[in-house]
Amino acid sequence: MFIAFSGVSSSGKNTVMNELIKRRNNIKVLESSSGTTREPRESDSQFNTYVYMTEEEFKRGVEEGKFFEYELVHGHYYGTILSQLEKAASDQENYYIRDIDVKGVVNLKQYFKGKSDFISIFLDAPNDVLRQRLILRGDKIEDIEKRLSRGELERSYKNGYDLVIENIDLEKTVQTICQYIDQFKKA
């Protein structure tokens, strides 16, 4: 099973994924599954998901077909590495989770159809909460405004998700997701 998390910037995607991994032995982050041209963040050390590249290396990867999909977001390229998706689709014992851009989730649903179970989860929060989280994370004011302005675009996709959660209370959010996964597997 593949579980894709999307949401507006600072909606808590990495925090929620970390809690799920702690609580469920069969949930794993799909490591080295995204290429990016942005600089590493301190929070990136939590999961080994990114392969950091120069813009030239990234574009060469696009030309060589190494990415399932890619997007320019906040001035940096991000792309999902195809070989890692193939790994997740073939593993019937574990559930793989990743933070995926809203446009990427649309494509991933099609990729996993007939190959593996797929759940999409969209996390959101009010803008004042998001702004405070971004400030606490240490983002620059101009970056905060850029991220919040993209929130409306990202929210326009949320009706296409299997589960949409306003992530204010971490415990409640994680419990809701665990219940949804359990019900999904029973169906």
Side-chain angles (χ1 to χ4, degrees), residues 4 32 60 70 90 115 131 156 170-171 184-185:
S32 302
R60 188 171 42 247
Y70 67 95
S90 66
K115 294 178 183 170
R131 183 181 309 282
S156 73
L170 178 62
E171 182 61 31
F184 184 89
K185 289 309 286 181

Side-chain angles (χ1 to χ4, degrees), residues 3 5 17 20-21 27-30 95-99:
I3 304 169
F5 282 86
M17 289 190 309
L20 288 169
I21 290 166
I27 294 180
K28 304 187 180 322
V29 171
L30 187 58
Y95 300 169
Y96 288 94
I97 59 176
R98 274 295 286 121
D99 170 6

Side-chain angles (χ1 to χ4, degrees), residues 99-112:
D99 170 6
I100 303 287
D101 182 78
V102 291
K103 293 180 182 177
V105 168
V106 172
N107 296 325
L108 284 176
K109 279 186 182 187
Q110 289 303 312
Y111 175 81
F112 280 101

Side-chain angles (χ1 to χ4, degrees), residues 29-103:
V29 171
L30 187 58
E31 294 189 347
S32 302
S33 56
S34 292
T36 186
T37 59
R38 76 161 168 77
E39 293 296 315
R41 290 189 198 127
E42 188 176 315
S43 61
D44 291 345
S45 63
Q46 185 176 17
F47 304 120
N48 182 27
T49 55
Y50 288 109
V51 175
Y52 299 95
M53 308 171 156
T54 65
E55 192 168 315
E56 181 181 298
E57 290 169 326
F58 191 95
K59 288 179 177 178
R60 188 171 42 247
V62 169
E63 290 172 10
E64 293 172 358
K66 291 184 178 181
F67 295 105
F68 171 71
E69 55 84 31
Y70 67 95
E71 174 106 22
L72 182 63
V73 180
H74 307 302
H76 301 286
Y77 285 100
Y78 293 84
T80 305
I81 298 172
L82 182 59
S83 62
Q84 294 302 90
L85 289 181
E86 292 167 347
K87 171 186 169 183
S90 66
D91 187 339
Q92 299 302 309
E93 294 179 29
N94 295 298
Y95 300 169
Y96 288 94
I97 59 176
R98 274 295 286 121
D99 170 6
I100 303 287
D101 182 78
V102 291
K103 293 180 182 177

Side-chain angles (χ1 to χ4, degrees), residues 153-167:
L153 167 74
E154 292 165 332
R155 287 179 178 115
S156 73
Y157 284 81
K158 72 181 181 181
N159 289 336
Y161 281 72
D162 299 313
L163 184 61
V164 177
I165 301 173
E166 186 169 74
N167 182 27

Side-chain angles (χ1 to χ4, degrees), residues 10-22:
S10 206
S11 59
K13 298 175 291 286
N14 286 334
T15 303
V16 169
M17 289 190 309
N18 192 37
E19 282 301 309
L20 288 169
I21 290 166
K22 287 179 189 176

Side-chain angles (χ1 to χ4, degrees), residues 135-150:
I135 290 169
L136 291 172
R137 187 169 83 179
D139 284 23
K140 297 175 187 170
I141 296 299
E142 60 269 13
D143 291 338
I144 291 172
E145 294 310 316
K146 190 186 306 183
R147 289 179 178 283
L148 291 176
S149 69
R150 183 169 166 88

